């Protein structure tokens, strides 16, 4: 009887399979369900229906049944013909990509290619005139309508951005496409029911601009002779898993001439720099150099404000205070340059800035900048980019003094403040160099950091946080390993989570090597409720663009500054000194500023300057410190 039941069960399954046409596929090494589905022009869901076990993973030589008479489960709504008013043209500029152009005009890459057939044969070339057709949005479907649309995942897409595009939640997107729960493969065809399947609104966390990961622009890089996967990961400062995730073809090996996609904001690492050079020991005064500073005093605004006294404005205007502090530090640098005999003429202009405007451009047009060797400022990123654009043809270095933003790239633009992703990457470089086992406890609301970890740090294990945001202590212990440092990245500002994580780590110290890590400032850790001894015991480590300097030279600077300004220097005054003095030293090396940045890394009072060429053009400062809380309650630099 038992055998008969089995026979009937198997017969019913066979009948349901043979009721439709299918073909057999033998899984090859490296294949996945999405790649196989793409090959046969079906959806992964179609394969899962016939091969339920495949949802748990597939192995080489596994036999899969692939349907061949699949109905139009995934159907794309008819796209209305574009109106003439929706047709634009765009001239391709140097370093632009199809993705960046599509993103600029809010159209799909496939629409660009369809409107410009020559792209498939000639590729994207500077100077080409592209036709941009923005199609009308398809009519919204009524609630509950079972009509699906398809969407091909392109570079830079995240689950959040796709869900937002179609007006659904990430949870709904994953429910409709269960195969993307672990990852979001490039080129994968999603099946999306844009009709609202529930009325639950997305949770707001107060700062929506920080809630989700930003879209990442990608650039193309052609593999050169002799380059290997190892050398490429070091060149781009990306993990092997991350580089392969963006470029799946690398699974088959690295080949000369391959065109790889890499994030545009990355900078090349440099093998030529050995340590930090004291540039004051190699000053050359043979050729006089000229440095220009654009500082936002906004003097005309102060003069025209007859109702507010200068003293009252200084009490209220934080931006003006920051400018004056930076300026005071810059003056200290100019004085120090005179003492050392540097042959530099400095001009200081009022850049009169708002967030979107500056008088710097009119100053440039009204003055001769032909003999200018470097420019520092303006302060706002959008304004410093305007100045860089105006001086790019003369190849005059323009140095952004304070902004961490990753904006437009110019070949002559130098970002002196390390960018946020570079700061996080430096922490991972350190942990990988120590052969660390890296775990992460991430609050569900910290979507941007979680997306960063998923995209660029694929070896990190997510542990500990349940769906309600609570910490599950036992879940972290099973990931600890012996004889390696277990780094636990904490991304949560909840006091309860911090206590539970640190308690769990302290209890594990008798059996394992553990160290607490944060990737960005965490205000909760500054509260008295979190004892400093708890953090020092776990040697809490973090990356930073600056460090406190207790050396004799630093104390001499602070004393001299106080004598001149009757107050000790704050962070902006020290920044003004560091950047101005470092720039003047680089101009005094008997070479151009660019040549000096390519050759040497340097360090001043609280900042390190290690400029590296960005893939998208210009330079970024990768001078970053790894600091940790030591047992003697001081902050030290990790070795």
């Amino acid at each position: 009887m038992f055998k008969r039941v089995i026979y009937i069960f198997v017969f019913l399954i066979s009948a349901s399979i043979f009721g439709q046409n299918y073909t057999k596929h033998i899984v090859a090494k490296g294949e996945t369900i999405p790649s196989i589905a793409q090959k046969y022009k079906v959806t992964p869901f179609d394969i899962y229906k016939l091969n339920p076990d495949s949802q748990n993973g597939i192995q080489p030589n596994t036999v899969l049944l692939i349907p061949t008479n699949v109905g139009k489960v995934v159907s794309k709504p008819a796209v209305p013909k574009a109106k003439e008013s929706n047709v634009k043209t765009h001239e391709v500029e140097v370093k632009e990509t199809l993705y960046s152009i599509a993103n600029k005009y809010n159209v799909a890459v496939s629409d660009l290619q369809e409107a410009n057939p020559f792209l498939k044969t000639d590729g994207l070339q500077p100077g080409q005139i592209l036709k941009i057709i923005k199609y009308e949005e398809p009519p919204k479907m009524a609630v509950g309508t079972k009509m699906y649309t398809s969407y091909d995942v392109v570079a830079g897409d995240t689950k959040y951005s796709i869900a937002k595009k179609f007006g659904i939640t990430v949870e709904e997107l994953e429910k409709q496409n269960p195969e993307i729960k672990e990852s979001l493969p490039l080129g994968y065809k999603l099946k999306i029911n844009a009709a609202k399947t529930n009325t639950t609104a997305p949770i707001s966390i107060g700062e929506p601009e920080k809630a989700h990961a930003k879209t990442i622009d990608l650039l193309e890089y052609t593999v050169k002779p002799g380059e290997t996967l190892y050398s490429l990961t070091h060149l781009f400062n990306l993990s092997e898993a991350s580089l392969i995730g963006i470029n799946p073809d690398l699974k088959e090996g690295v080949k000369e001439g391959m065109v790889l996609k890499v994030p545009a904001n990355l900078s090349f690492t440099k093998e030529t720099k050995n340590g930090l050079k004291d540039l004051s020991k190699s000053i050359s005064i043979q050729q006089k150099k000229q440095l220009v500073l654009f500082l936002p005093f906004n003097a005309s605004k102060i003069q025209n404000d007859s109702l507010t006294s200068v003293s009252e404005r200084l009490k209220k205007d934080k931006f003006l205070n920051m400018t004056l502090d930076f300026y005071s530090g810059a003056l200290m640098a100019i004085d120090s340059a005179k003492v050392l005999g540097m042959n530099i003429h400095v001009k200081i202009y009022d850049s009169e800035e708002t967030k979107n405007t500056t008088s710097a451009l009119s100053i440039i047009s009204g003055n001769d900048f032909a003999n200018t060797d470097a420019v520092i400022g303006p302060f706002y990123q959008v304004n410093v980019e305007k100045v860089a654009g105006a001086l790019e043809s003369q190849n005059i270095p323009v140095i952004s003094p304070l902004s961490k933003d990753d904006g437009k790239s110019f070949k002559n633009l130098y970002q002196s403040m390390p960018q946020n992703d570079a700061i996080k990457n430096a922490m991972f470089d350190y942990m990988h160099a120590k052969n660390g086992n890296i775990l992460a406890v991430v609050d569900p609301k910290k979507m941007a950091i979680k997306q960063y970890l998923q995209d660029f740090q694929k070896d990190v294990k997510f542990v500990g946080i349940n769906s309600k945001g609570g910490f599950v202590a036992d879940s972290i212990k099973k990931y600890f390993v012996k004889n390696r440092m277990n780094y636990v990245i904490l991304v949560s500002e909840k006091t309860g989570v911090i206590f539970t994580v640190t308690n769990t780590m302290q209890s594990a110290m008798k059996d394992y090597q553990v160290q607490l890590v944060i990737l960005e400032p965490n205000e909760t850790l500054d509260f008295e409720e979190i004892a400093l001894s708890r953090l020092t015991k776990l040697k809490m480590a973090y990356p930073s663009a600056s460090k406190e300097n207790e050396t004799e030279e630093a104390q001499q600077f602070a004393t001299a500054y106080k004598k001149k300004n009757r107050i000790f220097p704050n962070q902006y005054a020290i920044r003004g000194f560091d950047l101005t003095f470092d720039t003047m030293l680089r101009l005094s090396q008997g070479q151009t500023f660019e040549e000096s940045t390519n050759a040497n890394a340097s360090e001043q009072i609280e900042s390190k300057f290690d400029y590296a060429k960005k893939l998208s053009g210009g330079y970024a400062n990768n001078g970053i410190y790894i600091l940790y809380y030591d047992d003697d309650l001081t902050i030290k630099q990790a070795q």
Side-chain angles (χ1 to χ4, degrees):
M1 179 65 182
F2 181 71
K3 290 184 178 178
R4 186 181 176 190
V5 171
I6 294 177
Y7 175 79
I8 293 173
F9 179 71
V10 172
F11 175 80
L12 288 174
I13 292 178
S14 300
S16 67
I17 292 174
F18 287 104
Q20 62 180 359
N21 296 327
Y22 73 94
T23 186
K24 292 181 180 179
H25 175 82
I26 300 175
V27 177
K29 185 177 180 180
E31 284 189 314
T32 63
I33 291 295
S35 67
I36 296 170
Q38 212 167 11
K39 179 177 181 180
Y40 289 95
K41 301 191 184 312
V42 297
T43 70
F45 180 72
D46 295 322
I47 297 178
Y48 290 141
K49 280 198 299 185
L50 292 184
N51 307 270
D53 290 342
S54 64
Q55 296 183 60
N56 300 320
I58 53 175
Q59 302 296 327
N61 298 320
T62 301
V63 177
L64 297 177
L65 299 178
I66 311 296
T68 56
N69 67 336
V70 180
K72 293 186 178 180
V73 177
V74 179
S75 60
K76 194 169 185 178
V79 180
K81 187 176 181 181
K83 297 179 180 178
E84 287 301 316
S85 59
N86 286 337
V87 178
K88 300 179 181 178
T89 58
H90 173 83
E91 184 174 351
V92 180
E93 297 179 5
V94 177
K95 296 171 186 169
E96 281 191 313
T97 64
L98 274 178
Y99 177 73
S100 67
I101 297 171
N103 193 47
K104 178 177 180 179
Y105 292 98
N106 195 26
V107 298
V109 171
S110 57
D111 289 339
L112 272 181
Q113 293 172 326
E114 186 176 339
N116 304 275
F118 58 84
L119 288 174
K120 294 183 180 179
T121 54
D122 302 338
L124 191 68
Q125 305 290 336
Q128 289 173 332
I129 303 298
L130 301 184
K131 184 187 293 184
I132 311 294
I133 302 177
K134 191 169 183 179
Y135 295 104
E136 296 175 359
E137 290 290 330
K140 290 188 176 181
M141 295 173 286
V143 174
T145 303
K146 290 298 181 182
M147 183 182 290
Y148 290 92
T149 185
S150 62
Y151 178 78
D152 295 330
V153 178
V154 299
D157 273 339
T158 65
K159 293 178 189 177
Y160 180 89
S161 66
I162 296 171
K164 185 177 180 182
K165 181 183 181 75
F166 288 94
I168 61 177
T169 66
V170 172
E171 290 74 18
E172 288 172 330
L173 182 66
E174 290 180 337
K175 187 176 180 181
Q176 295 172 23
N177 302 271
E179 56 278 2
I180 68 166
K181 284 188 176 181
E182 298 300 323
S183 63
L184 188 66
L186 283 177
Y188 181 69
K189 189 179 289 294
L190 294 173
K191 181 181 70 172
I192 298 172
N193 176 14
K196 294 286 186 179
T197 55
N198 64 56
T199 57
T200 305
I203 299 173
S204 171
I205 64 169
E207 294 185 48
E209 70 275 11
K210 295 181 181 179
H212 60 85
K214 63 184 179 183
T215 301
I216 301 170
D217 283 335
L218 299 177
L219 291 181
E220 294 182 346
Y221 175 83
T222 304
V223 176
K224 297 178 176 59
E227 288 186 314
T228 63
L229 187 56
Y230 176 83
S231 67
L232 289 170
T233 57
H234 281 69
L235 178 66
F236 301 128
N237 200 19
L238 282 173
S239 69
E240 183 176 312
S242 299
L243 192 58
I244 292 175
I246 303 173
N247 302 276
D249 289 347
L250 284 174
K251 290 179 182 178
E252 307 300 323
V254 176
K255 300 180 181 65
E256 179 184 340
M258 285 180 72
V259 178
L260 304 180
K261 298 288 186 182
V262 290
N265 65 347
L266 289 181
S267 54
F268 289 108
T269 55
K270 285 185 283 186
E271 306 292 339
T272 55
K273 292 186 180 178
N274 297 313
L276 301 171
K277 182 178 180 180
D278 184 353
L279 299 174
S280 66
K281 305 295 185 185
S282 53
I283 292 176
S284 170
I285 60 173
Q286 293 179 355
Q287 186 178 3
K288 189 168 188 174
K289 297 297 179 76
Q290 182 169 286
L291 172 65
V292 168
L293 275 70
F294 280 120
L295 302 180
F297 299 111
N298 293 328
S300 60
K301 185 178 180 181
I302 296 174
Q303 291 169 358
N304 294 332
D305 188 356
S306 57
L307 299 177
T308 306
S309 67
V310 174
S311 60
E312 288 176 335
R313 179 172 289 278
L314 287 173
K315 290 178 183 177
K316 298 178 181 178
D317 195 332
K318 293 181 179 179
F319 188 72
L320 177 59
N321 275 278
M322 179 183 69
T323 301
L324 294 175
D325 289 334
F326 188 95
Y327 175 57
S328 66
L331 290 179
M332 292 288 292
I334 294 169
D335 288 344
S336 298
K338 291 177 181 177
V339 172
L340 292 175
M342 294 188 213
N343 190 8
I344 297 181
H345 177 58
V346 181
K347 290 184 178 180
I348 300 175
Y349 293 104
D350 184 356
S351 55
E352 295 187 283
E353 290 184 64
T354 67
K355 289 183 179 180
N356 298 302
T357 63
T358 177
S359 64
L361 295 181
S362 61
I363 292 171
I364 291 172
S365 63
N367 292 271
D368 184 8
F369 272 66
N371 295 319
T372 301
D373 296 285
V375 173
I376 294 176
F379 277 13
Y380 284 113
Q381 180 68 21
V382 67
N383 293 332
V384 83
E385 288 171 5
K386 291 176 183 177
V387 171
L391 299 176
E392 186 176 30
S393 61
Q394 300 175 63
N395 200 28
I396 297 174
V398 176
I399 305 157
S400 178
L402 296 172
S403 173
K404 292 183 180 179
D405 293 342
D406 177 33
K408 295 180 181 178
S409 294
F410 297 88
K411 67 179 182 181
N412 61 327
L413 180 56
Y414 293 73
Q415 297 288 156
S416 72
M417 286 294 291
Q419 294 175 341
N420 290 323
D421 281 354
I423 292 174
K424 291 194 285 282
N425 287 341
M427 188 72 238
F428 282 94
D429 285 347
Y430 174 79
M431 293 187 288
H432 288 138
K434 298 293 183 181
N435 191 32
N437 176 45
I438 308 174
L439 315 177
V441 179
V442 183
D443 189 294
K445 292 182 179 179
K446 299 291 185 178
M447 295 176 66
I449 292 185
K450 185 173 182 179
Q451 191 68 51
Y452 161 81
L453 295 175
Q454 290 175 332
D455 287 344
F456 300 113
Q457 307 297 340
K458 294 185 182 293
D459 57 335
V460 174
K461 305 175 185 70
F462 291 90
V463 297
I465 296 286
N466 59 31
S467 59
K468 295 181 180 179
F471 178 70
V472 184
D474 291 340
S475 68
I476 197 172
K477 293 179 181 177
K478 64 182 181 182
Y479 288 101
F480 285 153
V481 296
K482 299 275 188 180
N483 304 319
R484 288 174 67 187
M485 180 59 76
N486 295 278
Y487 294 104
V488 179
I489 301 171
L490 178 61
V491 187
S492 175
E493 295 173 355
K494 294 181 179 178
T495 305
V497 171
I498 294 172
F499 271 120
T500 310
V501 170
T502 52
N503 284 339
T504 303
M505 293 179 67
Q506 287 183 81
S507 67
M509 291 180 74
K510 61 181 181 295
D511 300 313
Y512 300 96
Q513 301 176 61
V514 296
Q515 187 168 6
L516 182 66
V517 172
I518 59 173
L519 298 177
E520 55 187 24
N522 187 328
E523 291 184 0
T524 308
L525 297 175
D526 295 332
F527 294 159
E528 292 182 5
E529 193 174 354
I530 309 295
L532 183 60
S533 59
R534 181 181 291 264
L535 306 180
T536 58
K537 189 173 183 180
L538 294 171
K539 306 274 187 182
M540 188 180 79
Y542 61 97
S544 176
S546 62
K547 68 168 185 177
E548 291 186 16
N549 191 339
E550 301 295 336
T551 63
E552 184 178 346
E553 291 83 357
Q555 291 173 4
Q556 289 175 352
F557 167 78
T559 301
Y561 183 93
K562 185 174 186 295
K563 184 177 181 180
K564 186 173 183 177
N565 299 281
R566 298 182 182 180
I567 191 173
F568 282 109
N570 63 13
Q571 60 174 323
Y572 295 111
I574 296 174
R575 180 68 185 173
F577 174 86
D578 280 357
L579 179 58
T580 306
F581 191 57
D582 188 80
T583 302
M584 296 174 82
L585 282 170
R586 291 184 181 279
L587 292 176
S588 303
Q589 300 300 304
Q591 54 189 178
T592 65
F593 182 84
E594 182 176 19
E595 289 169 341
S596 176
T597 57
N598 284 329
N600 300 300
S602 60
E603 185 178 38
Q604 303 309 327
I605 297 173
E606 289 190 355
S607 302
K608 194 188 299 184
F609 297 94
D610 185 8
Y611 292 102
K613 190 168 271 188
K614 293 173 63 178
L615 299 175
S616 56
Y619 288 80
N621 181 15
N622 289 335
I624 300 159
Y625 298 98
I626 304 300
L627 307 174
Y628 71 95
Y629 286 45
D630 205 0
D631 293 328
D632 60 1
L633 305 184
T634 63
I635 297 176
K636 290 187 170 64
Q637 184 175 347
Q639 302 299 321

